[in-house]
């Protein structure tokens, strides 16, 4: 409900009655037969009317008035009371007092709203900068891989030479078998070294792959953090714009 409409209702509830002028009551008099009697009767009739009109204007008139009221206390006159023009015969005083009090309260609320100066919302602050990921480097892991590869290549070369040497010794006549057995033992030792070198190579490759996976995970976490920061900044900006609009 609008405030101005409520204020307009305050003046409602007062009923006044305006009394019109005197009412003339006509009187019928029988007509005489001759002209002289007519003049005499006319004069008497005029005097009678004047006298009756004067008496009627001085005597109070009884009026029947129908008034709708909310409470018996609203009626300001009783049956048989004399009333004058413009006199209030019914007034809703309690309703008027209630509306007057409501009007004052609404005026105070309106003044408070008109004088209220809301503080502007605080603009969102910029998010603190975060450090970028350090430069990517796998030099240590790659160096270990190259070292194991070189070791494997060297051992394979030694194994190949030792196998050729054993083949040559097998073709020598009257060769002491102890020499051949000794070279065979060396060949087996080289093969064991080759197996160990292969394991070192696989370990170095695993460390290199682990370092790459770790770096990829760090970059993924950094991208998530950036996305969360952008989302948080957009939410703060939207909240600020909404508060500013309100």
């Amino acid at each position: 409900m609008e405030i101005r409409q409520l204020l307009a209702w305050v003046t409602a509830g007062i009923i006044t009655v305006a009394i019109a002028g005197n009412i003339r009551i006509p009187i019928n008099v029988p007509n005489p037969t001759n002209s002289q009697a007519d003049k005499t009767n006319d004069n008497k009739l005029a005097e009678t009317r004047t006298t009756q009109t004067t008496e009627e204007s001085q005597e109070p008139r009884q009026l029947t008035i129908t008034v709708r009221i909310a409470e018996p206390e609203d009626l300001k006159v009783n049956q048989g009371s004399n009333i004058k023009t413009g006199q209030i015969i019914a007034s809703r005083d309690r309703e008027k007092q209630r509306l007057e009090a409501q009007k004052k309260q609404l005026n105070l609320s309106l003044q408070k709203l008109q004088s209220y100066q809301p503080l502007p919302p605080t603009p969102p602050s910029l998010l603190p900068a975060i450090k970028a990921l350090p430069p990517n480097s796998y030099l240590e892991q790659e160096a270990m891989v190259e070292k194991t590869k070189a070791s494997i290549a060297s051992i394979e070369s030694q194994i190949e030479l030792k196998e050729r040497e054993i083949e040559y010794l097998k073709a020598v006549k009257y060769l002491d078998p102890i020499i051949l057995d000794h070279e065979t033992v060396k060949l087996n030792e080289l093969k064991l070294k080759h197996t160990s070198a292969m394991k070192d190579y696989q370990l170095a490759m695993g460390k290199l792959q682990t370092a790459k996976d770790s770096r990829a995970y760090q970059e993924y976490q950094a991208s998530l953090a950036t996305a969360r920061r952008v989302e948080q900044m957009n939410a703060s900006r939207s909240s600020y714009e909404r508060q500013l609009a309100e």
Side-chain angles (χ1 to χ4, degrees), residues 9 12-13 20 46 59 62 70 91 96 100 120 130 183 191 193 203 236:
W9 288 0
E59 294 179 358
Q62 184 175 359
S91 176
K96 181 179 179 181
E100 286 288 349
I130 57 175
E183 296 300 328
K191 290 180 178 180
K193 287 183 179 181
L203 179 61
S236 300

Side-chain angles (χ1 to χ4, degrees), residues 103-235:
K103 177 182 177 181
K104 292 180 180 179
Q105 183 178 2
L106 292 176
N107 283 330
L108 291 176
S109 300
L110 182 60
Q111 293 176 3
K112 184 177 180 181
L113 289 175
Q114 291 175 348
S115 62
Y116 175 69
Q117 296 293 335
L119 297 176
T122 303
S125 58
L126 297 177
L127 297 177
I130 57 175
K131 294 182 179 180
L133 291 175
N136 187 19
S137 176
Y138 307 109
L139 294 178
E140 182 179 358
Q141 292 80 7
E142 291 174 351
M144 183 60 66
V145 170
E146 294 299 327
K147 181 179 179 180
T148 54
K149 287 175 65 176
S151 178
I152 291 172
S154 176
I155 294 173
E156 288 177 350
S157 179
Q158 293 178 14
I159 291 174
E160 184 180 359
L161 290 176
K162 185 59 66 176
E163 289 176 347
R164 290 180 182 179
E165 184 179 355
I166 291 174
E167 291 295 329
Y168 174 77
L169 292 176
K170 288 180 179 180
V172 176
K173 294 181 178 180
Y174 309 110
L175 181 65
D176 191 354
I178 296 176
I179 298 174
L180 186 59
D181 293 338
H182 179 71
E183 296 300 328
T184 303
V185 170
K186 288 183 177 181
L187 177 61
N188 292 332
E189 290 178 354
L190 289 174
K191 290 180 178 180
L192 291 175
K193 287 183 179 181
H194 181 268
T195 302
S196 178
M198 288 296 296
K199 292 180 179 180
D200 292 339
Y201 172 76
Q202 293 175 356
L203 179 61
M205 288 294 296
K207 290 182 178 181
L208 177 61
Q209 187 62 39
T210 301
K212 291 182 179 180
D213 293 342
S214 178
R215 177 67 181 191
Y217 179 75
Q218 291 177 358
E219 292 176 352
Y220 171 72
Q221 291 294 329
S223 64
L224 287 181
T226 302
R228 284 194 293 266
R229 287 168 59 85
V230 172
E231 184 178 358
Q232 182 179 359
M233 183 174 61
N234 292 336

